[in-house]
Amino acid sequence: QSVLTQPPSVSAAPGQKVTISCSGSSSNIGINYVSWYQQLPGAAPKLLIYDNSKRPSGIPDRFSGSKSGTSATLGITGLQTGDEADYYCASWDSSLSVVFGTGTKVTVL
Amino acid sequence: EVQLLESGGGLEQPGGSLRLSCTVSGFTFSSYAMTWVRQAPGKGLEWVSVISGSGGTTYYADSVKGRFAISRDNSKNTLYLQMNSLGVEDTAVYYCAKNNRAGAPSHIDYWGQGTLVTVSS
């Protein structure tokens, strides 16, 4: 079972914007929805984005998601120190499994 | 309020077995698929298994197929993961998670706090 590829880390100053890429294939992202999860240090993951670009209730619109072909992107604008966390993308795969991204650590400089 | 509470983790020797449980509240358990995800120390998330709301459909990661079994008791609002033939590579925090609908494909919308499984001699 494959994994989705993410950059290991991204960083920016407070108030700036970061984007996190998630690269998959025609068996997962290419044909299924993408979701994104935020994992704060020492905590369980939390749903951030689902169905490529939808935000659950309570998630600020500073977080956005998009998908094109076999890749997806998470954007965070107005970066805050509280956004320092690991971020994971995920997608259903045609092998009847779920694949997670390799994870990206966001650092606020 | 959706709540997921895992239990059953602990220290087990290689080749041994453990059964994890996840007791839920705050939603109609039988209406949603449930998932187990694990995270080895300092590593990323790894999907383990999913079970449909009725319990009639299950899928597994290749890494656990034939060794782990997911099940649910909808009368008790409880999800299980029976883990056999444990190896050191199974050491991880195991998260119980709720999916957004009864079947697959579906995404996880709520996570438990996790239970630590350590496999070591």
Side-chain angles (χ1 to χ4, degrees), chain B residues 4 6 12 26 31 37 41 44 46 50 63 71 76 78-80 82-84 86 89-90 93 111 115 121:
Chain B
L4 307 164
E6 303 96 335
E12 183 57 62
S31 295
V37 175
E46 180 188 12
V50 65
S63 58
S71 63
K76 295 183 178 180
T78 303
L79 174 72
Y80 302 101
Q82 178 66 44
M83 304 186 295
N84 299 327
L86 285 165
E89 67 277 9
D90 297 316
V93 172
W111 299 70
T115 186
S121 55

Side-chain angles (χ1 to χ4, degrees), chain A residues 59-109:
Chain A
I59 300 300
D61 59 6
R62 299 188 299 105
F63 295 92
S64 64
S66 65
K67 184 183 106 168
S68 178
T70 59
S71 293
T73 301
L74 174 71
I76 310 174
T77 59
L79 202 60
Q80 302 176 0
T81 55
D83 297 332
E84 286 204 332
D86 293 324
Y87 293 82
Y88 296 90
C89 57
S91 180
W92 186 258
D93 190 273
S94 58
S95 63
L96 303 180
S97 66
V98 171
V99 286
F100 278 100
T102 48
T104 298
K105 182 178 182 60
V106 170
T107 301
V108 182
L109 301 173

Side-chain angles (χ1 to χ4, degrees), chain B residues 23-120:
Chain B
T23 304
V24 313
S25 61
F27 64 98
T28 303
F29 184 56
S30 60
S31 295
Y32 298 93
M34 296 293 294
T35 295
W36 286 100
V37 175
R38 68 184 181 182
Q39 186 170 35
K43 302 297 185 181
L45 302 175
E46 180 188 12
W47 177 82
V48 172
S49 181
V50 65
I51 186 168
S52 63
S54 67
T57 301
T58 59
Y59 300 119
Y60 296 92
D62 288 344
S63 58
V64 306
K65 201 172 294 182
R67 300 188 300 123
F68 290 11
I70 191 171
S71 63
R72 63 192 297 160
D73 186 335
N74 286 345
S75 69
K76 295 183 178 180
N77 282 4
T78 303
L79 174 72
Y80 302 101
L81 185 68
Q82 178 66 44
M83 304 186 295
N84 299 327
S85 302
L86 285 165
V88 294
E89 67 277 9
D90 297 316
T91 294
V93 172
Y94 285 73
Y95 293 103
C96 161
K98 170 189 171 291
N99 287 47
N100 74 306
R101 63 186 198 91
S106 55
H107 66 265
I108 292 170
D109 56 6
Y110 289 93
W111 299 70
Q113 287 305 301
T115 186
L116 176 61
V117 172
T118 303
V119 184
S120 175

